[in-house]
Amino acid sequence: MIVRAIELSEANALIVAHHRHHKPVKGHRFSLGAFVDDALVGAAVVGRPVARECDQRRWLEVTRLVTDGTKNACSALYAAAARAGKALGYLKIQTYILDSEPGTSLKASGWVKEGIAKGRSWQGRTQGTEGRFWD
């Protein structure tokens, strides 16, 4: 498996085909793809943090991560996103997962659970909780 930069349109096509609960994104700072024998098997979309209290200029957030189920693709993408962010001079990269997701790939790629974030709607109402991870 190799990981390399891809276009947002390629990542969004994979999101449409395989993501369980998210839709494609409108923008990004960069996107990475995992390839096996020249076939795109996973993608990570990395953008600015969604939460307004996060440092919008010096932090990154993996806003989408999707695979077709290829073993180790998630871990490879999370690790590559963290390395790329550091190489570009960002101080922190983070992501959020649902309570129902175990975070195995994040832990395997060296990310640390920072805590629980209370999910909120745009109107400020609590919607549930999510785990927040960072590298």
Side-chain angles (χ1 to χ4, degrees):
M1 180 180 319
I2 63 164
V3 176
R4 65 175 184 252
I6 60 172
E7 298 295 324
L8 181 59
S9 59
E10 295 173 281
N12 277 335
L14 207 61
I15 291 165
V16 168
H18 296 288
H19 204 288
R20 294 185 308 257
H21 56 87
H22 278 305
K23 294 182 179 179
V25 297
K26 302 277 186 208
H28 70 156
R29 297 232 190 256
F30 61 89
S31 292
L32 299 172
F35 291 83
V36 174
D37 298 328
D38 289 327
L40 181 62
V41 299
V45 178
V46 183
R48 64 178 182 78
V50 175
R52 58 185 166 216
E53 67 271 2
C54 295
D55 188 329
Q56 302 290 307
R57 294 181 184 231
R58 298 187 296 170
W59 293 8
L60 293 171
E61 183 171 317
V62 176
T63 57
R64 298 288 187 279
L65 191 122
V66 62
T67 73
D68 65 359
T70 299
K71 187 175 181 178
N72 299 324
C74 289
S75 298
L77 287 163
Y78 278 127
R83 286 191 308 272
K86 286 177 186 175
L88 291 168
Y90 288 94
L91 300 179
K92 182 176 184 174
I93 187 168
Q94 65 184 20
T95 196
Y96 295 88
I97 63 169
L98 299 174
D99 281 341
S100 59
E101 298 172 317
T104 305
S105 295
L106 285 156
K107 294 171 190 168
S109 57
W111 290 49
V112 176
K113 187 170 185 177
E114 189 172 68
I116 301 295
K118 298 272 187 208
R120 297 195 183 276
S121 71
W122 287 110
Q123 292 79 27
R125 292 186 290 271
T126 300
Q127 293 183 312
T129 59
E130 300 175 319
R132 180 177 178 189
F133 283 79
W134 63 281
D135 179 70

